[in-house]
Amino acid sequence: MPRKSLILSTSLFVAVASSILLPGVLSSAHAGSGCPAATTTITSNQELASALADATPGSVISIADGNYNGDWVATASGTPARPIWLCGSANAMLTNDGYSGGYGLHLNGAAYWHLYGFSVSNAQKGVVADAVTGVVIENLKVYDTGDEAIHLRENSARNTVTGNVIHDTGNRREKFGEGVYVGSSDANWGILTNGQPDHSDFNVISNNTIYNTTAESIDAKEGTVGGLITSNRFDGAGLTEEGGDSWVDVKGNDWMVTENTGTNSRGDGFQTHHRDRTKDGLGDWGLRNTFSANTAEVQGPGYGFYIHDPSTTENVVACDNQVANAGLGYANTACAPTT
């Protein structure tokens, strides 16, 4: 049966996520601290390629303003105490041959990186992080991509995506134009995670501004567990029929979605979807997610909150959310009072 009992107040709600469900993510990653003094300053494609290849714990790579077009991949890892920094202003632009090119930046098994301040554009995908932990993606501008802007996948856990400005995605394929994509579809587990659920768990998606995406602003896939989506701002005016019909779609389990603000949707504001793979031994997904203290100015035909299979999935929509101009009303399930 759905949980209709009292849920945590918003302040305690976020504290639980950061200190219990997400140990070490916000503190050890130094989110919000700015960029340290550079150990290497790069001004050319060749220098950037060398700096990425030669990075060691504690390296601080500063990108001078300019356009850097190439296949940018990092594989070295930092440590919790000595992350590797890649920094630049918004005028330092990483690209990769346009909407049908490669990734703007690929962290391939590269743990404990801190990306700060620069721009990523004109690539098929913006920033892709595979099999990483302790990564912070902060204050970037990621836009004009063929598919999604930022993607955490292949069991990438305990990372933070914060303070980024994301827009104009899905220029190659509207269906894949998410702003922030966490995990992977179960249809791709055979390719990406040896047929097992993509446990891109305990990630924090916070304080991002996301607009003009063809698909969801944030898509948390089946297989993911225990993440936090908080204090983001969404405008869904760019959502398309092929792309998406909500700002946030949670298909994972035990996510907390709180204090976000959205406007304009071609469907609902926030959604969950139930994906039962227990017959295959791959879990039951879309369960026990909680939505609290969000503001949904839907300006669309659906609900503020749509819960798939509400009678069996134990998802909670708190009564402290604010919903306006939703054609079907507040939610398709009774709201839960808060303490």
Side-chain angles (χ1 to χ4, degrees), residues 126-144:
V127 178
V128 177
D130 286 328
V132 304
T133 192
V135 165
V136 178
I137 302 171
E138 182 178 12
N139 285 359
L140 302 190
K141 288 181 170 58
V142 186
Y143 61 97
D144 282 342

Side-chain angles (χ1 to χ4, degrees), residues 151-170:
H151 196 162
L152 307 176
R153 68 182 186 188
E154 292 190 27
N155 301 315
S156 289
R158 304 183 189 280
N159 306 290
T160 301
V161 178
T162 187
N164 303 285
V165 177
I166 294 166
H167 60 92
D168 290 280
T169 61

Side-chain angles (χ1 to χ4, degrees), residues 320-335:
D320 64 356
N321 297 287
Q322 298 181 40
V323 176
N325 296 309
L328 294 177
Y330 191 90
N332 67 327
T333 187
C335 69

